[in-house]
Amino acid sequence: HPHPPPPLHSMWDLRSDTVTKPTRAMRDAMAAAEVGDDVFGDDVTVTKLELLMATVFGKHAAVFVPSGTMGNLVAVGVHCELRGSEYVCGDLSHIVQYEQGGLATLMGAHSRQLTTNADGTIDVDKIEAAIRADDQHFPATKVVCLENTHNKKGGKVLPIAYVDEVGALCKKHNLQLHVDGARIWNAAAKLNETPARLVRAADSVSVCLSKGLGAPVGSVIVGSHEFIRKCRRLRKACGGGMRQAGTLAAAALTAYEEIWGNGEIDADHVRALRLANALDALPGLSVQFPPVTNIFFLNINTEAHPYFTVPVVCELLKENNVLTIPWVGNSLRLVTHHDITDQAVSEIIEAFRTIPWYE
Amino acid sequence: PPLFRPPHRTMLDLRSDTVTRPTQKMRDAMARAEVGDDVFGDDPTVTRLEETMAKVFGKEAAVFVPSGTMGNLVAVGVHCEVRGSEYICGDLSHIVQYEQGGLATLMGAHPRQLTTNADGTIDVKAIENAIRADDQHFPRTTVVCLENTHNKKGGKVLPLAYVDEVGSLCKKHAIRLHVDGARIWNAAAKLKVAPARCVQAADSVSVCLSKGLGAPVGSVIVGDEAFIAKCRRLRKACGGGMRQAGTLAAAALAAYEEIWPNLAKDHETASDLARRIDALDHYDVRVAPETNIFFVDLNVAAFPELNAKDVVQALRESDIVAIPWVGDSIRVVTHHDIPETAAGEIEEGFRAAALSLTGGQ
């Protein structure tokens, strides 16, 4: 189907933090980047990014990939490189919900999906119970996957003690721990901890650079040298071996300085809370729970105002330059990011205020 | 091992046309690009690139992917979307040789590999014989894959009549034709025809933007609307759904404007280089390049000390980078970062490399 025209520059796009556009500094960095053929290992800017990200996350190596989906696909794909592997994860994880089942369809890995708690965790005792014994009826459990922050549960931050506990369990059972850290930056900012501390217990992490951090493209997988070597190889098979990718890496390096370095992620959290509080006070709307990071869900009181279904509300908001995403039930998901400024928050509140609720 | 460019000289990198660096125009285009979230379909620059490429290749639609490997993986993967599919291809194709067997390991498709001729073709009769009957012993043949230009055979251009003939055969048997057009630009430039004419008979083409065309990253798959919609979807599953990819698309659009019109120059440079190197005692270029690739054989009969690995190492002394190839030869690939004016320097470098190993004059 033909693409609808892209939103105007003046639109406030709350659909996701993936919509962030590269800043002037990022664009300049991209234009000036020293590059080479990264498949030959000759792109010094990609190499610089990978070394930096490894260090930031306290791991030995990193590999740049075009997307978070490839980050999880390749990382967990490597953990499950042996045919007949199984990974344990949450039923509401992005891996299960939004990655087209790629780990099964492309990597042949089986998933064991456990109930996700409201806080984004999966019970430690249930993880332990899910670990397979050595029996011809069973696939071989290789890895446990956690998601931090948890997208579908509304940007929830996993407690460090919890991640450490799951890590200890994995070590005890000789399993790997992978963290889908698409929004790990948000978790670290919220806990006021270093990114490395959050993932200390993890063997691998997939980290998005194109969400809150604002780079135009890409993620990194971090882990041990040997693991990352395998990831690099599997990345090539998947078609993720890009050539002069330093053009993209340069933007990511700038994003790390400009967005992470200046506390912009914290600002996104403050704005999410301000926005949620203001919207919750308006008639016809209620916030499911106050945002912990940069995501929250807004219930539309369609019951009291039957005309105002989610699609109708979205359309009205669009006319007032605000874009949101319909979510589960009669709700919207709202996500803040650095392109949603303080001024934007005020205008967004006004846009919601103009909804002409009537019976 | 990675190379680090010496600060005051540009290396003459003959390893591949993938090494091309973005020009100032491309860099400016990247910096200025209007972008959006391409997964939401909101990146106008990616959309413009896709529409342009579809038109250039005479197809309905196109989708931008991060690499040629993903181009083939996704295109042939879609053709083989039904479990139990088989694709026919050449035994020396890039798909078989250099894509890690991804179509088998990730897509579950079976390759039927036919003997590749010196000119890069696979016999039409052999293709016809390879098409499977409907029988429980057989996978189902869904697509034939050709490669133009043919990499391993030295940048050979498939004749238009041949591609058309294979296309007719495919239509007759209700199977598809996919062209790995990583270097289709070189084929079109050589034949002096429109790119669309080269692939008129094809249902799908994977086209590299990062090789001779010089863009930093990416390829496009072109085909009909329904097929490309499926490619877009499979691209996402593979992890190729990039966000503000207009940054890359802008460079590709600039490359198409800036580099495509002069691509034939790379062929002239290759021909010139091949002649010069062949004239040296230590080397033989048995097959003159058709496009931008040729192989240099070593005259080990007269100079037994010569081997590709040592020659390649010695070439580094002259800031020339090359790759050892099959049969202890050296592959040379020209591109826009190898100016015509460098031919003499390269010739000299080859001469010096040989002399340093043979200790003679």
Side-chain angles (χ1 to χ4, degrees), chain A residues 160-188:
Chain A
I160 290 180
Y162 168 76
V163 179
D164 289 350
E165 193 185 356
V166 175
L169 178 74
C170 288
K171 287 233 164 346
K172 176 174 155 200
H173 291 274
N174 202 26
L175 303 176
Q176 306 285 290
L177 174 60
H178 172 73
V179 170
D180 176 356
R183 296 192 172 95
I184 194 75
W185 303 104
N186 299 76

mmCIF file of all heavy atoms in Angstrom, chain A residues 160-188:
data_model
loop_
_atom_site.group_PDB
_atom_site.id
_atom_site.type_symbol
_atom_site.label_atom_id
_atom_site.label_comp_id
_atom_site.label_asym_id
_atom_site.label_seq_id
_atom_site.Cartn_x
_atom_site.Cartn_y
_atom_site.Cartn_z
ATOM 1 N N ILE A 160 17.950 -3.566 39.738
ATOM 2 C CA ILE A 160 19.287 -4.130 39.542
ATOM 3 C C ILE A 160 19.425 -5.463 40.284
ATOM 4 O O ILE A 160 19.993 -6.424 39.767
ATOM 5 C CB ILE A 160 20.369 -3.126 39.997
ATOM 6 C CG1 ILE A 160 20.389 -1.948 39.013
ATOM 7 C CG2 ILE A 160 21.737 -3.781 40.066
ATOM 8 C CD1 ILE A 160 21.413 -0.873 39.351
ATOM 9 N N ALA A 161 18.894 -5.505 41.491
ATOM 10 C CA ALA A 161 18.994 -6.737 42.288
ATOM 11 C C ALA A 161 18.321 -7.905 41.574
ATOM 12 O O ALA A 161 18.783 -9.041 41.645
ATOM 13 C CB ALA A 161 18.368 -6.519 43.660
ATOM 14 N N TYR A 162 17.239 -7.608 40.877
ATOM 15 C CA TYR A 162 16.531 -8.654 40.131
ATOM 16 C C TYR A 162 17.385 -9.181 38.984
ATOM 17 O O TYR A 162 17.539 -10.394 38.822
ATOM 18 C CB TYR A 162 15.199 -8.108 39.598
ATOM 19 C CG TYR A 162 14.541 -9.009 38.584
ATOM 20 C CD1 TYR A 162 13.873 -10.168 38.983
ATOM 21 C CD2 TYR A 162 14.625 -8.728 37.217
ATOM 22 C CE1 TYR A 162 13.299 -11.022 38.038
ATOM 23 C CE2 TYR A 162 14.051 -9.566 36.275
ATOM 24 C CZ TYR A 162 13.390 -10.712 36.689
ATOM 25 O OH TYR A 162 12.827 -11.555 35.760
ATOM 26 N N VAL A 163 17.949 -8.267 38.212
ATOM 27 C CA VAL A 163 18.780 -8.685 37.080
ATOM 28 C C VAL A 163 19.972 -9.501 37.587
ATOM 29 O O VAL A 163 20.334 -10.529 37.020
ATOM 30 C CB VAL A 163 19.260 -7.473 36.255
ATOM 31 C CG1 VAL A 163 20.138 -7.915 35.090
ATOM 32 C CG2 VAL A 163 18.066 -6.681 35.730
ATOM 33 N N ASP A 164 20.566 -9.023 38.707
ATOM 34 C CA ASP A 164 21.691 -9.763 39.294
ATOM 35 C C ASP A 164 21.258 -11.163 39.717
ATOM 36 O O ASP A 164 22.000 -12.135 39.540
ATOM 37 C CB ASP A 164 22.255 -9.004 40.501
ATOM 38 C CG ASP A 164 23.012 -7.744 40.115
ATOM 39 O OD1 ASP A 164 23.276 -7.544 38.899
ATOM 40 O OD2 ASP A 164 23.361 -6.955 41.014
ATOM 41 N N GLU A 165 20.053 -11.254 40.298
ATOM 42 C CA GLU A 165 19.563 -12.552 40.766
ATOM 43 C C GLU A 165 19.358 -13.509 39.592
ATOM 44 O O GLU A 165 19.738 -14.691 39.663
ATOM 45 C CB GLU A 165 18.240 -12.353 41.519
ATOM 46 C CG GLU A 165 17.811 -13.579 42.304
ATOM 47 C CD GLU A 165 16.433 -13.410 42.948
ATOM 48 O OE1 GLU A 165 15.840 -12.304 42.850
ATOM 49 O OE2 GLU A 165 15.931 -14.403 43.533
ATOM 50 N N VAL A 166 18.776 -12.999 38.506
ATOM 51 C CA VAL A 166 18.580 -13.850 37.322
ATOM 52 C C VAL A 166 19.938 -14.262 36.761
ATOM 53 O O VAL A 166 20.140 -15.406 36.353
ATOM 54 C CB VAL A 166 17.737 -13.127 36.252
ATOM 55 C CG1 VAL A 166 17.648 -13.972 34.987
ATOM 56 C CG2 VAL A 166 16.344 -12.827 36.777
ATOM 57 N N GLY A 167 20.885 -13.332 36.791
ATOM 58 C CA GLY A 167 22.237 -13.641 36.329
ATOM 59 C C GLY A 167 22.870 -14.766 37.135
ATOM 60 O O GLY A 167 23.496 -15.679 36.581
ATOM 61 N N ALA A 168 22.688 -14.706 38.449
ATOM 62 C CA ALA A 168 23.252 -15.742 39.319
ATOM 63 C C ALA A 168 22.601 -17.094 39.017
ATOM 64 O O ALA A 168 23.270 -18.133 38.975
ATOM 65 C CB ALA A 168 23.050 -15.356 40.779
ATOM 66 N N LEU A 169 21.304 -17.066 38.806
ATOM 67 C CA LEU A 169 20.584 -18.298 38.456
ATOM 68 C C LEU A 169 21.138 -18.881 37.154
ATOM 69 O O LEU A 169 21.364 -20.091 37.046
ATOM 70 C CB LEU A 169 19.086 -18.002 38.306
ATOM 71 C CG LEU A 169 18.222 -19.191 37.900
ATOM 72 C CD1 LEU A 169 18.049 -20.146 39.070
ATOM 73 C CD2 LEU A 169 16.841 -18.722 37.411
ATOM 74 N N CYS A 170 21.345 -18.026 36.178
ATOM 75 C CA CYS A 170 21.881 -18.482 34.887
ATOM 76 C C CYS A 170 23.244 -19.126 35.075
ATOM 77 O O CYS A 170 23.530 -20.197 34.533
ATOM 78 C CB CYS A 170 21.970 -17.327 33.906
ATOM 79 S SG CYS A 170 20.361 -16.771 33.295
ATOM 80 N N LYS A 171 24.103 -18.452 35.847
ATOM 81 C CA LYS A 171 25.450 -18.993 36.072
ATOM 82 C C LYS A 171 25.361 -20.370 36.725
ATOM 83 O O LYS A 171 26.064 -21.299 36.342
ATOM 84 C CB LYS A 171 26.266 -18.051 36.973
ATOM 85 C CG LYS A 171 26.709 -16.775 36.297
ATOM 86 C CD LYS A 171 28.200 -16.534 36.403
ATOM 87 C CE LYS A 171 28.765 -15.494 35.453
ATOM 88 N NZ LYS A 171 27.909 -15.068 34.334
ATOM 89 N N LYS A 172 24.463 -20.466 37.715
ATOM 90 C CA LYS A 172 24.304 -21.735 38.440
ATOM 91 C C LYS A 172 23.936 -22.860 37.478
ATOM 92 O O LYS A 172 24.394 -23.991 37.614
ATOM 93 C CB LYS A 172 23.211 -21.545 39.498
ATOM 94 C CG LYS A 172 22.832 -22.794 40.289
ATOM 95 C CD LYS A 172 21.838 -22.426 41.404
ATOM 96 C CE LYS A 172 20.986 -23.621 41.809
ATOM 97 N NZ LYS A 172 19.754 -23.224 42.505
ATOM 98 N N HIS A 173 23.114 -22.522 36.454
ATOM 99 C CA HIS A 173 22.655 -23.547 35.517
ATOM 100 C C HIS A 173 23.413 -23.516 34.191
ATOM 101 O O HIS A 173 22.971 -24.121 33.216
ATOM 102 C CB HIS A 173 21.154 -23.385 35.269
ATOM 103 C CG HIS A 173 20.313 -23.721 36.461
ATOM 104 N ND1 HIS A 173 19.886 -25.003 36.749
ATOM 105 C CD2 HIS A 173 19.849 -22.933 37.465
ATOM 106 C CE1 HIS A 173 19.182 -24.992 37.869
ATOM 107 N NE2 HIS A 173 19.146 -23.745 38.323
ATOM 108 N N ASN A 174 24.532 -22.796 34.186
ATOM 109 C CA ASN A 174 25.372 -22.745 32.989
ATOM 110 C C ASN A 174 24.608 -22.225 31.759
ATOM 111 O O ASN A 174 24.743 -22.756 30.657
ATOM 112 C CB ASN A 174 25.946 -24.141 32.709
ATOM 113 C CG ASN A 174 27.189 -24.057 31.853
ATOM 114 O OD1 ASN A 174 27.890 -23.048 31.851
ATOM 115 N ND2 ASN A 174 27.469 -25.111 31.107
ATOM 116 N N LEU A 175 23.818 -21.188 31.999
ATOM 117 C CA LEU A 175 23.084 -20.548 30.903
ATOM 118 C C LEU A 175 23.605 -19.128 30.700
ATOM 119 O O LEU A 175 24.242 -18.565 31.580
ATOM 120 C CB LEU A 175 21.592 -20.451 31.227
ATOM 121 C CG LEU A 175 20.841 -21.724 31.559
ATOM 122 C CD1 LEU A 175 19.407 -21.362 31.933
ATOM 123 C CD2 LEU A 175 20.867 -22.702 30.403
ATOM 124 N N GLN A 176 23.301 -18.579 29.560
ATOM 125 C CA GLN A 176 23.659 -17.198 29.286
ATOM 126 C C GLN A 176 22.483 -16.290 29.659
ATOM 127 O O GLN A 176 21.339 -16.734 29.692
ATOM 128 C CB GLN A 176 23.980 -17.014 27.792
ATOM 129 C CG GLN A 176 25.029 -17.977 27.268
ATOM 130 C CD GLN A 176 26.413 -17.598 27.721
ATOM 131 O OE1 GLN A 176 26.955 -16.589 27.263
ATOM 132 N NE2 GLN A 176 26.999 -18.386 28.603
ATOM 133 N N LEU A 177 22.791 -15.019 29.930
ATOM 134 C CA LEU A 177 21.753 -14.023 30.174
ATOM 135 C C LEU A 177 21.884 -12.928 29.128
ATOM 136 O O LEU A 177 22.940 -12.301 29.008
ATOM 137 C CB LEU A 177 21.878 -13.419 31.582
ATOM 138 C CG LEU A 177 20.923 -12.252 31.886
ATOM 139 C CD1 LEU A 177 19.457 -12.665 31.752
ATOM 140 C CD2 LEU A 177 21.180 -11.700 33.298
ATOM 141 N N HIS A 178 20.807 -12.735 28.366
ATOM 142 C CA HIS A 178 20.776 -11.660 27.367
ATOM 143 C C HIS A 178 19.773 -10.612 27.822
ATOM 144 O O HIS A 178 18.675 -10.958 28.251
ATOM 145 C CB HIS A 178 20.364 -12.205 25.990
ATOM 146 C CG HIS A 178 20.125 -11.121 24.969
ATOM 147 N ND1 HIS A 178 21.148 -10.413 24.396
ATOM 148 C CD2 HIS A 178 18.983 -10.608 24.441
ATOM 149 C CE1 HIS A 178 20.653 -9.516 23.549
ATOM 150 N NE2 HIS A 178 19.343 -9.613 23.560
ATOM 151 N N VAL A 179 20.177 -9.356 27.730
ATOM 152 C CA VAL A 179 19.245 -8.279 28.042
ATOM 153 C C VAL A 179 18.907 -7.520 26.764
ATOM 154 O O VAL A 179 19.808 -7.044 26.065
ATOM 155 C CB VAL A 179 19.838 -7.309 29.099
ATOM 156 C CG1 VAL A 179 18.955 -6.059 29.243
ATOM 157 C CG2 VAL A 179 19.983 -8.023 30.435
ATOM 158 N N ASP A 180 17.618 -7.455 26.462
ATOM 159 C CA ASP A 180 17.152 -6.583 25.378
ATOM 160 C C ASP A 180 17.140 -5.189 25.974
ATOM 161 O O ASP A 180 16.205 -4.807 26.685
ATOM 162 C CB ASP A 180 15.755 -6.996 24.903
ATOM 163 C CG ASP A 180 15.197 -6.045 23.838
ATOM 164 O OD1 ASP A 180 15.858 -5.022 23.528
ATOM 165 O OD2 ASP A 180 14.104 -6.304 23.320
ATOM 166 N N GLY A 181 18.215 -4.467 25.731
ATOM 167 C CA GLY A 181 18.366 -3.133 26.322
ATOM 168 C C GLY A 181 18.052 -2.039 25.320
ATOM 169 O O GLY A 181 18.771 -1.039 25.258
ATOM 170 N N ALA A 182 16.981 -2.236 24.562
ATOM 171 C CA ALA A 182 16.606 -1.209 23.585
ATOM 172 C C ALA A 182 16.543 0.155 24.283
ATOM 173 O O ALA A 182 16.995 1.161 23.762
ATOM 174 C CB ALA A 182 15.264 -1.544 22.958
ATOM 175 N N ARG A 183 15.999 0.164 25.475
ATOM 176 C CA ARG A 183 15.873 1.412 26.244
ATOM 177 C C ARG A 183 16.651 1.335 27.555
ATOM 178 O O ARG A 183 16.246 1.914 28.563
ATOM 179 C CB ARG A 183 14.393 1.719 26.501
ATOM 180 C CG ARG A 183 13.604 1.976 25.223
ATOM 181 C CD ARG A 183 12.234 2.553 25.505
ATOM 182 N NE ARG A 183 11.582 2.948 24.276
ATOM 183 C CZ ARG A 183 10.729 2.183 23.594
ATOM 184 N NH1 ARG A 183 10.394 0.986 24.040
ATOM 185 N NH2 ARG A 183 10.196 2.617 22.449
ATOM 186 N N ILE A 184 17.797 0.667 27.519
ATOM 187 C CA ILE A 184 18.628 0.536 28.714
ATOM 188 C C ILE A 184 19.091 1.904 29.213
ATOM 189 O O ILE A 184 19.291 2.109 30.419
ATOM 190 C CB ILE A 184 19.815 -0.409 28.453
ATOM 191 C CG1 ILE A 184 20.495 -0.819 29.771
ATOM 192 C CG2 ILE A 184 20.827 0.228 27.504
ATOM 193 C CD1 ILE A 184 19.732 -1.841 30.578
ATOM 194 N N TRP A 185 19.240 2.856 28.274
ATOM 195 C CA TRP A 185 19.658 4.212 28.653
ATOM 196 C C TRP A 185 18.637 4.826 29.614
ATOM 197 O O TRP A 185 18.985 5.502 30.588
ATOM 198 C CB TRP A 185 19.783 5.107 27.420
ATOM 199 C CG TRP A 185 20.719 4.585 26.374
ATOM 200 C CD1 TRP A 185 20.373 3.995 25.197
ATOM 201 C CD2 TRP A 185 22.154 4.619 26.381
ATOM 202 N NE1 TRP A 185 21.496 3.651 24.480
ATOM 203 C CE2 TRP A 185 22.593 4.026 25.188
ATOM 204 C CE3 TRP A 185 23.105 5.105 27.286
ATOM 205 C CZ2 TRP A 185 23.945 3.885 24.855
ATOM 206 C CZ3 TRP A 185 24.459 4.970 26.961
ATOM 207 C CH2 TRP A 185 24.865 4.371 25.759
ATOM 208 N N ASN A 186 17.362 4.568 29.326
ATOM 209 C CA ASN A 186 16.304 5.109 30.178
ATOM 210 C C ASN A 186 16.364 4.481 31.575
ATOM 211 O O ASN A 186 16.160 5.152 32.581
ATOM 212 C CB ASN A 186 14.925 4.870 29.554
ATOM 213 C CG ASN A 186 14.784 5.561 28.207
ATOM 214 O OD1 ASN A 186 15.311 5.099 27.205
ATOM 215 N ND2 ASN A 186 14.097 6.697 28.184
ATOM 216 N N ALA A 187 16.662 3.193 31.609
ATOM 217 C CA ALA A 187 16.756 2.501 32.895
ATOM 218 C C ALA A 187 17.916 3.067 33.721
ATOM 219 O O ALA A 187 17.769 3.350 34.914
ATOM 220 C CB ALA A 187 16.941 1.004 32.674
ATOM 221 N N ALA A 188 19.060 3.249 33.058
ATOM 222 C CA ALA A 188 20.240 3.757 33.762
ATOM 223 C C ALA A 188 19.997 5.173 34.275
ATOM 224 O O ALA A 188 20.349 5.512 35.407
ATOM 225 C CB ALA A 188 21.452 3.724 32.844
#
